[in-house]
Amino acid sequence: MDMPIVNQCTVTECVYNREEACHALAITVGDVQHPRCDTYFSAGTKGGDPSTTGRVGACKVSACRHNAQFECRAPGITVGYQQTEVDCLTFAPA
């Protein structure tokens, strides 16, 4: 099984974001009820591997239709702001 790709991330202040692309090897999404990007954080320097495109390693939002046994089955996701939260915008209620 391939991990879904992070197609776009508009959260430019995240350490893994360069030019609206995620460069974390893998991100974790959510808690049981909310699809936030648990990998997001900001710092004075950038991190991740600039030659890598981020992927979804785990998803804890069991109420999402793309979630199967806490693994994301969407072909790809978009991360961005939902009001003030950094969320998986691909989240779809089951």
Side-chain angles (χ1 to χ4, degrees):
M1 171 181 73
D2 290 329
M3 292 187 296
I5 197 166
V6 179
N7 291 320
Q8 181 181 25
C9 177
T10 59
V11 186
T12 57
E13 65 274 10
C14 180
V15 299
Y16 296 109
N17 187 306
R18 289 186 177 104
E19 299 177 4
E20 296 199 356
C22 179
H23 296 285
L25 293 177
I27 69 168
T28 298
V29 174
D31 57 33
V32 177
Q33 296 181 353
H34 191 92
R36 72 180 44 94
C37 179
D38 282 357
T39 308
Y40 162 77
F41 75 100
S42 62
T45 60
K46 291 293 185 178
D49 181 350
S51 67
T52 299
T53 299
R55 296 191 177 264
V56 182
C59 179
K60 298 182 277 183
V61 188
S62 60
C64 180
R65 73 174 180 185
H66 301 294
N67 189 309
Q69 299 174 322
F70 301 104
E71 300 289 343
C72 181
R73 299 287 192 222
I77 71 163
T78 299
V79 175
Y81 282 104
Q82 186 73 285
Q83 298 173 359
T84 61
E85 299 289 330
V86 177
D87 285 354
C88 172
L89 301 180
T90 308
F91 168 79

